[in-house]
Each structure stands twice: as structure tokens, then as C-alpha cells.
Amino acid sequence: MATSTISARDDASAPVPRELPPLLAQIRDGWRDRDGRTALLGAAACLALLAVLFRSTLVHFVQVWSTDQNYSHGFLVPLISLYFANMAAQYGPIRQVPAVGVGVVLLMMALLGRLATIVVPVGIASDLSFIAGLAGIVALFAGREALSRYGFALAFLVFMVPLPIHLYTTIANPLQLMVSKAASVILNGTGLPVLCEGNHLTLPGGVRMFVAEACSGMRQLTGFLALTTAVAFLTPRPRWYRLVLIGSAIPVALTANIARVVLTGWIMAYDPKLAQGTFHTIEGLLLMGFGLALLRIECAILNMIVEEDRPASAATSAAPAAG
Amino acid sequence: MTTTRRAVLGLAILSLGLVAEAAVERATLTDRPPLKRSLQTIPMTLGNWVGKDEPVDEKIAVESQATEYLNRVYTLRGRPGVQVWLWMNYSDRGLNLRHSPEVCLPSGGWEKIESLTKVVAIDRASGPPQEVSVLGYGKSELVQKIGFWYYIFGEGRIERFVRGLPISSRSSHGRTTRGSGLTVEVFYPSETGLGDDELRDFITELLDVMDPVLPEDRASYHIP
């Protein structure tokens, strides 16, 4: 991975000029010539029009991010995307490879998606079309190479799109049942007799416990998927390593939630009041930490495998491992 | 192609999009059907239930984005403690569909109790059963249940089909409709001693008297 460096200066007493972030520096450099200025102004005008066209989608995003706990991370996603775009900008100036056709096709697809949602109530089509529209503007004004370079940053925006509630429920319900069953097996195995009926667990003394949708692992799954994708992108590792990392989001989220339900079961058996309100929230945060720790352990194991596979000559010039 | 031409092309496509948006909006304009009668015509007596109108806080009335609403307490004859609060809210632009219990109650500090949440089917004398979401919410020691369902009027057959697909947002999750909408919420605190049978009885009586009020072109949903 390339890194931006500030060249060392012989005159230590002179103040070092503050460098702009690479993305802003690229925009500044583009502004210096007339052609670049036209491109930047055109892109800005197109972005404004795109925002007007997708105003209902943008309002929907903000509303869901602020009211639905499953998507409260939505506010962070555009910022993380910008961070990735800034990282991509570190590779230096982009060669202009015209991609007018690609840009036009992407913009037309975005329009069709938007128009389709006026006729039929499929909100997610409009949500994804907005991202296609952004990609279209990049292709039209910055070209094919820019689209390729900033493609990941644009694709990452998918994580801010709320799933339709029905689809969410369709995925979350089986996960909920799986977590309940696995947790009851572990609780029985660890000496706490539990009767499992669907998502209801009955503990000794008739104490009933319910595995909520929030404990299905779905909430963590969306977060972990975004996180592992980001880590995979940032890690200078082989493709298989990155795929394993992203694929592990599902078992890690489920494992963390099974652990949460098992812990809650034991706490409820001791004192049901401790499994409610603030205690339950703290427990959730701790288990989120447990999930992150699992990911860290996984990265460490994968790093060992990568180190073993790497020839001695390559090992000396490798970038430091992330994750 | 020069940069200027690319800019003109991009702006032309997006401007065309805005024009097309307005045209499609106009072409698919629905009548946003009004209610056939005022909600106030819902009788005060529903079988064994006797109702009384309750005033609504001005702020809540504005927040609800309702064109018309009904807020009543119905008491079961002979059992003064057994009461249900009926909140019906009609919006000619479907804006009220944003205000499902899952959005509004948590903002008031109520936490969802998922073990109390289920879907019940209310049998009707004529027509298919009415599916109702029964939701449970708690705040400190208080627990209340809510029977919830809603209608969208005038969307048409295609939209109705698409709304039933798992890819569409069937909920009142911030998406408005091209039609109008009515939400029905039946609140009952758990300490009132109201059971599922009484709730079914109340909703059955209510559904019968709602028929003359609702527009014909309607679809019923229950997922918040």
C-alpha cells in the first residue's frame, strides 16, 4: 500500500507547510487548469442535480439512520467511504481514460431506478440507483481509471442502504431460531437445564427468557460485514485472505450472539433483574467487544498462515500487517 | 469528447431525469381516495363496548400528520376496569404511515418486549381474516400492548402485488404511498386484565363498523 510522505527538509527551523489530504490535494490540482475546473464544476452541478432527483431517498436514509438501531451506523458509512477515497487518492494523479459510455449508462440506470420507485413501492431500487448515479458522475468526469480506483469507496456505500423490513425479518428470523437452539444446547451442556421452545427458553424455577430479534446476530452482522470489508480492503494480503475475513462476519456475529444469550441465561438464573435495562445494554457492548476480539484472533491466525506461505525474500519487503 | 461537452451531457441527462420524474408523478397520480364517511361516524357503542372521545394534545395532533383522527376510550360493559384506547389516523397523502408504534413509542421511552409480540388473525363474518400485529412495550413497571394494522387506499393492483414482495418496504418505514392511508392502533395496558379474547371481540366489532367508512380500493397490512 502506498503512503503519502512529507519530504524531509534540511532547514528544521522553517515551518513545514501543512499538506492537504490526498483527495483534496487532487481536487486542488485539478482546479489549477481550465479543463480541470470545468470538470469539477460540471461534476458538482451534476451532484447537486442528482441530490435533487434523489431527495426522497436521502431523506429516507437520514430518517432510517436516526430511528432504526439496525442502521444507526449509516451516518458513518459515507465518512468511511470518503476515507477510502482519500486513501485511493494517495496513489497519485489519475490518467484520463474516457468512459463517457459507462458514465451515461450508469446515469441512465440510476434514472430508471428512480422512476421505477415512483410507479412501484420498491424503495431499495431507488437507494441503490443513487449509488449508481454517483458512480456515473465519477465515470463521466474522471474516466475509467478513476472509477476503478474509487470503485471500492463507492461500493462501500451499499452498507448505508437499509434492507426492506420484510427481507430483514426473513433473514433475521432463522438466525434467531439458530441462536436460541445453539444457546440452549450450550446452557444444558454447562449444567443449566433449559427448555427451548422456538425463541423461548425456560430456565429452572420457571424463569422465561426470550431471544429477541435484536439478539439474532443480524444487527452485529451488518456492522461486522462493513467492518470486515473495510479491514479486508485495508489489509495488504492475498485475495483468499480477504475473502475468508469477509466470509467470517456471519459466524463471528452468530458466535458473539450465542455467547450473549448463554451469558444472559446464566445471569437470569442467578438474578433476572440483572438481565434487563442498562445491565443488558452493557452486556451487549461487552459481547460486541468479544466479537471484535474473535476477528482479531482470526486475523492473527491468518497472518501466521500468510507468513508461512511467504518466501523469505518477499517477507523482508512486505508491508506491515493490518488487522 | 471535451470536458464541456461531458458536463453538458451529464446535466442534460439529470435534467431530463427531473422532467421525467415530474411526468411519471403526474401520469401515475392517484386520487388519494378520501374516506367515505368521517371517522366520527364510528359508533360510540360497539357490541358490549361503550366509547368516550378523549382530547388529543395539539402537538401530537400536528406530529401525527393526520388529515383526520379519532381518539377514544372504550370500556367493556359490566367490567369498568377493562378499557381499550382506540387511535385511528387518516392521512390523504399517506404521511401518517411513517408513524408506526415501532417508531413513535421508543421515542417516548417505551421499550419493545418481543416476547409479547405476535400476529393474530381476526376472523370475519364475511371476507378474509384481518391480520393484526400485537406488540408489547414496557416502561419501568408499566407494560402495554398494542393491536396494530393499517390500510393503503388507491395504490392499485400492481403496487399491491409489489408491496407484498420481500424486496419492497411493506412497512410504514418512512416510505410514503401514492395513495392515502389509515392506521389503527388499539392500546391496552396489561394491568386492565384484558385478554386476547376480549381484544379479538373488540377488533371484530370495530372492523364491522369500519367497512362503511373505508374506500373500496384498499389493501390491508399489519407489519409495522
Side-chain angles (χ1 to χ4, degrees):
Chain A
M1 173 131 334
T3 53
S4 74
T5 52
I6 299 170
S7 51
R9 296 169 64 100
D10 296 332
D11 187 2
S13 61
V16 178
R18 252 190 92 185
E19 285 225 0
L20 280 173
L23 189 63
L24 289 178
Q26 237 175 48
I27 291 168
R28 179 199 57 200
D29 295 345
W31 188 258
R32 282 178 179 156
D33 68 86
R34 195 178 151 195
D35 203 44
R37 256 199 308 276
T38 309
L40 284 168
L41 288 171
C46 282
L47 273 175
L49 272 182
L50 190 77
V52 172
L53 189 62
F54 283 88
R55 58 198 178 281
S56 62
T57 302
L58 297 174
V59 167
H60 173 68
F61 281 161
V62 172
Q63 194 189 16
V64 173
W65 297 344
S66 20
T67 57
D68 190 336
Q69 286 190 329
N70 295 307
Y71 297 103
S72 51
H73 64 272
F75 287 106
L76 292 174
V77 173
L79 300 174
I80 297 168
S81 276
L82 271 176
Y83 174 76
F84 289 145
N86 190 56
M87 281 189 67
Q90 289 178 356
Y91 291 101
I94 295 168
R95 205 163 43 95
Q96 262 286 3
V97 183
V100 175
V102 175
V104 168
V105 167
L106 284 168
L107 281 176
M108 293 304 280
M109 277 170 60
L111 290 192
L112 287 174
R114 170 72 193 107
L115 296 177
T117 53
I118 298 172
V119 182
V120 287
V122 186
I124 196 166
S126 184
D127 300 347
L128 296 174
S129 297
F130 174 70
I131 298 171
L134 289 176
I137 291 170
V138 170
L140 190 63
F141 289 97
R144 195 184 301 273
E145 202 169 284
L147 185 63
S148 162
R149 192 187 285 189
Y150 296 115
F152 180 81
L154 284 165
F156 193 80
L157 290 172
V158 162
F159 290 111
M160 74 182 181
V161 174
L163 282 175
I165 198 95
H166 190 75
L167 185 60
Y168 183 93
T169 311
T170 306
I171 299 168
N173 280 356
L175 289 178
Q176 218 174 328
L177 284 166
M178 200 190 299
V179 166
S180 307
K181 279 186 189 146
S184 69
V185 167
I186 294 169
L187 284 166
N188 281 313
T190 51
L192 187 70
V194 166
L195 173 69
C196 176
E197 296 166 299
N199 294 320
H200 291 261
L201 303 180
T202 309
L203 305 171
V207 177
R208 285 180 72 89
M209 181 175 139
F210 183 77
V211 178
E213 201 175 75
C215 300
S216 66
M218 192 65 186
R219 193 172 290 176
Q220 278 87 341
L221 182 58
T222 46
F224 278 137
L225 265 175
L227 182 73
T228 52
T229 306
V231 172
F233 174 73
L234 294 168
T235 307
R237 289 282 181 265
R239 185 168 290 183
W240 66 262
Y241 179 108
R242 298 172 184 214
L243 288 173
V244 167
L245 201 58
I246 294 167
S248 67
I250 300 168
V252 165
L254 282 174
T255 306
N257 274 279
I258 291 164
R260 181 184 183 175
V261 174
V262 169
L263 183 67
T264 307
W266 275 104
I267 290 171
M268 279 189 89
Y270 173 72
D271 182 359
K273 281 198 181 113
L274 291 176
Q276 291 167 6
T278 312
F279 290 108
H280 193 59
T281 307
I282 291 168
E283 191 189 309
L285 289 170
L286 284 173
L287 267 299
M288 189 77 187
F290 172 66
L292 291 172
L294 284 178
L295 277 175
R296 185 69 192 83
I297 292 164
E298 183 195 1
C299 283
I301 293 165
L302 289 173
N303 285 341
M304 282 194 286
I305 296 167
V306 169
E307 293 301 327
E308 279 174 15
D309 287 351
R310 184 179 299 169
S313 59
T316 55
S317 59
Chain B
M1 191 183 276
T2 64
T3 308
T4 307
R5 281 190 179 171
R6 276 183 281 146
V8 169
L9 181 64
L11 290 168
I13 291 169
L14 289 163
S15 302
L16 178 75
L18 283 168
V19 173
E21 182 194 31
V24 173
E25 287 273 15
R26 183 169 293 193
T28 57
L29 205 64
T30 67
D31 290 337
R32 297 195 184 267
L35 294 172
K36 288 200 287 190
R37 296 184 200 169
S38 164
L39 290 176
Q40 293 300 328
T41 62
I42 301 262
M44 280 291 184
T45 304
L46 300 175
N48 288 323
W49 299 85
V50 182
K52 183 167 75 77
D53 279 325
E54 288 274 299
V56 175
D57 187 287
E58 185 88 23
K59 227 170 89 176
I60 291 173
V62 171
E63 280 288 318
S64 71
Q65 297 178 285
T67 310
E68 190 187 350
Y69 61 80
L70 181 78
N71 189 40
R72 273 188 197 159
V73 181
Y74 279 89
T75 309
L76 191 57
R77 259 200 203 100
R79 289 174 66 187
V82 179
Q83 294 183 314
V84 295
W85 278 257
L86 173 65
W87 167 252
M88 290 171 81
N89 166 341
Y90 168 79
S91 164
D92 58 0
R93 305 194 66 78
L95 297 173
N96 58 339
L97 299 179
R98 293 193 184 121
H99 302 282
S100 81
E102 292 210 331
V103 171
C104 298
L105 283 169
S107 65
W110 293 87
E111 270 189 51
K112 193 175 180 186
I113 305 168
E114 296 203 57
S115 55
L116 297 177
T117 300
K118 58 187 174 185
V119 176
V120 295
I122 309 287
D123 290 325
R124 313 278 320 273
S126 59
Q130 172 68 51
E131 289 197 303
V132 173
S133 285
V134 175
L135 309 160
Y137 280 88
K139 184 155 61 169
S140 58
E141 298 300 306
L142 299 171
V143 175
Q144 67 170 328
K145 288 184 180 177
I146 301 121
F148 172 77
W149 72 102
Y150 63 101
Y151 300 94
I152 296 179
F153 309 118
E155 273 205 313
R157 209 177 295 173
I158 297 171
E159 292 86 346
R160 206 167 298 161
F161 167 74
V162 175
R163 211 176 265 280
L165 297 174
I167 52 157
S168 72
S169 183
R170 282 175 51 185
S171 72
S172 43
H173 209 288
R175 299 285 184 185
T176 53
T177 165
R178 291 183 307 111
S180 52
L182 176 94
T183 62
V184 187
E185 292 171 49
V186 181
F187 294 85
Y188 55 106
S190 58
E191 68 267 20
T192 59
L194 185 84
D196 277 0
D197 289 344
E198 288 97 341
L199 179 72
R200 280 171 187 276
D201 175 59
F202 177 77
I203 293 175
T204 305
E205 297 284 357
L206 179 64
L207 288 168
D208 289 343
V209 298
M210 277 171 67
D211 264 340
V213 174
L214 305 181
E216 294 304 329
D217 182 6
R218 65 180 181 245
S220 168
Y221 304 98
H222 64 280
I223 297 174

